[in-house]
């Protein structure tokens, strides 16, 4: 067991294992849109920061229903719903190295949940949302 401080309130946490990586990695994002990817070094007995950064966008209203962070089952991308109407995508290579993030516009404003679908040639999401008449789709 390892005890480490996280400076911020954890909003999302996802464990994943890239295809060419020997160990699992942990993605953590905070309420203030900071993130890190951690790995455990068994030899030293400590956590190692593999990546970190800021996910803040200058546009958009933070989601009222809470942040959603998901990892594609084939570990090709990390997806985040941080702002109403936007889905942030962080591409990832076979070793788990992160690339530059980009945004995809979402028509749905009240997103309840998002999941990546298994077995798709390209990363594909299913979105559960609520419309203006409180119908869920």
């Amino acid at each position: 067991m390892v005890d480490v401080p996280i400076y911020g309130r954890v909003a999302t946490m996802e464990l994943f294992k890239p295809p060419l990586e020997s160990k699992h990695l942990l993605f953590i994002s905070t309420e203030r849109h900071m993130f890190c990817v951690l790995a455990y070094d068994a030899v030293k007995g400590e956590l190692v920061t593999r990546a970190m950064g800021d996910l803040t966008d200058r546009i958009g209203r933070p989601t009222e229903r809470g942040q959603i962070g998901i990892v594609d089952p084939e570990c090709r991308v990390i997806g985040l719903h941080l702002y109403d109407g936007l889905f942030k995508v962080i591409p990832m290579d076979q070793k788990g190295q992160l690339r530059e993030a980009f945004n995809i516009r979402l028509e749905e404003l009240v997103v309840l949940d998002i999941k990546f679908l298994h077995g798709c040639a390209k990363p594909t999401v299913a979105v559960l949302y609520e419309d203006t008449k409180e119908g869920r789709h």
Side-chain angles (χ1 to χ4, degrees):
M1 182 173 317
V2 177
D3 185 14
V4 293
I6 300 286
Y7 299 104
R9 238 181 236 178
V10 174
T12 66
M13 196 168 15
E14 288 287 322
L15 190 66
F16 63 98
K17 185 178 177 298
L20 299 180
E21 182 64 43
S22 61
K23 55 191 160 212
H24 284 79
L25 304 176
L26 181 64
F27 174 83
I28 299 173
S29 71
T30 67
E31 286 183 352
R32 292 197 176 175
H33 304 146
M34 301 301 288
F35 80 92
C36 65
V37 176
L38 304 174
Y40 182 72
D41 186 342
V43 175
K44 294 181 182 177
E46 62 186 26
L47 286 176
V48 177
T49 303
R50 297 274 302 265
M52 60 185 245
D54 189 352
L55 299 166
T56 305
D57 283 316
R58 294 179 187 262
I59 59 166
R61 185 180 69 187
T63 181
E64 294 177 10
R65 296 207 176 244
Q67 298 177 20
I68 299 171
I70 54 175
V71 178
D72 173 49
E74 284 81 32
C75 295
R76 298 171 289 197
V77 296
I78 296 172
L80 296 144
H81 183 250
L82 307 173
Y83 297 96
D84 289 338
L86 289 176
F87 185 66
K88 184 173 286 293
V89 177
I90 306 172
M92 190 176 359
D93 68 12
Q94 296 284 317
K95 292 184 179 183
Q97 297 296 319
L98 303 183
R99 304 291 178 223
E100 188 171 345
F102 61 91
N103 290 323
I104 297 174
R105 190 173 178 325
L106 281 178
E107 296 295 324
E108 299 78 18
L109 294 177
V110 183
V111 174
L112 304 174
D113 202 5
I114 301 176
K115 295 294 181 193
F116 278 107
L117 300 178
H118 290 266
C120 296
K122 294 180 181 178
T124 306
V125 294
V127 179
L128 176 63
Y129 69 96
E130 189 172 281
D131 63 19
T132 55
K133 296 178 183 176
E134 297 182 4
R136 295 186 175 191
H137 308 277

